[in-house]
Amino acid sequence: MYRAYEAVPAALKEKLHGRRALHIHEYNRAKQASHAGDISGIPHAHHPVFITHPDTGRKSLFVDRLMTARIEGMSEVESEAILSTLYDLGERREHIYEHVWQPGDFLMWDNRCTIHARTWFPPEEPRLLRRCTVEGGPIQA
């Protein structure tokens, strides 16, 4: 998402400077999270649209098509239009690394500068996933 941030037009970066977006963690990976209705029982948080990685100092785009619901302080229409633009930037082919799995592979990523997803695989194919989360400090704009 470093490259996606770099691709954001300067005027849009200026418009979004300091803005936060609502992220809803419904874990329904088939459609975008909805902020309609009561979300008090669903994990959610407001995060900066652009973050600075604490170790690299690089700026990163921090929105996700399935979890980012809206940008604070904007009308629904404006928020949706801008988020659509940002999602498209983050999903450009040149901004994507696609791993071709081989037996024994071990893959790690940093959620502060990466959006991750799996592609389809046959349901009868065995798959083993072990997750380890390293806790860090709060996300900084």
Side-chain angles (χ1 to χ4, degrees):
M1 297 304 279
Y2 291 138
R3 285 192 231 147
Y5 171 78
E6 292 164 3
V8 176
L12 187 52
K13 283 180 185 171
E14 186 175 322
K15 181 180 186 86
L16 295 173
H17 179 77
R19 296 272 186 170
R20 297 182 328 150
L22 173 62
H23 293 241
I24 302 174
H25 302 275
E26 287 184 295
Y27 299 104
N28 177 351
R29 293 298 179 235
K31 60 182 176 140
Q32 184 177 27
S34 172
H35 63 280
D38 180 16
I39 63 168
S40 63
I42 302 169
H44 63 280
H46 289 88
H47 296 297
V49 173
F50 306 130
I51 64 168
T52 302
H53 194 287
D55 298 322
T56 66
R58 292 180 68 188
K59 291 273 191 188
S60 178
L61 177 58
F62 199 71
V63 298
D64 174 320
R65 186 179 297 274
L66 296 179
M67 291 194 315
T68 308
R70 72 165 312 179
I71 299 171
E72 281 185 315
M74 293 186 168
S75 72
E76 192 74 25
V77 171
E78 183 179 26
S79 174
E80 284 181 17
I82 290 173
L83 284 173
S84 180
T85 297
L86 296 176
Y87 301 148
D88 290 347
L89 286 171
E91 295 167 5
R92 279 187 185 169
R93 189 79 202 140
E94 65 266 25
H95 300 160
I96 295 174
Y97 167 78
E98 186 173 359
H99 189 75
V100 179
W101 290 96
Q102 300 295 317
D105 279 358
F106 179 80
L107 193 64
M108 294 174 58
W109 60 86
D110 186 332
N111 281 337
R112 298 168 294 184
C113 54
T114 306
I115 293 176
H116 56 89
R118 67 158 179 85
T119 53
W120 181 88
F121 64 92
E124 67 278 356
E125 189 174 292
R127 185 170 177 249
L128 174 65
L129 172 69
R130 292 191 177 125
R131 180 181 177 146
C132 174
T133 303
V134 178
E135 208 169 294
I139 296 173
Q140 301 297 316

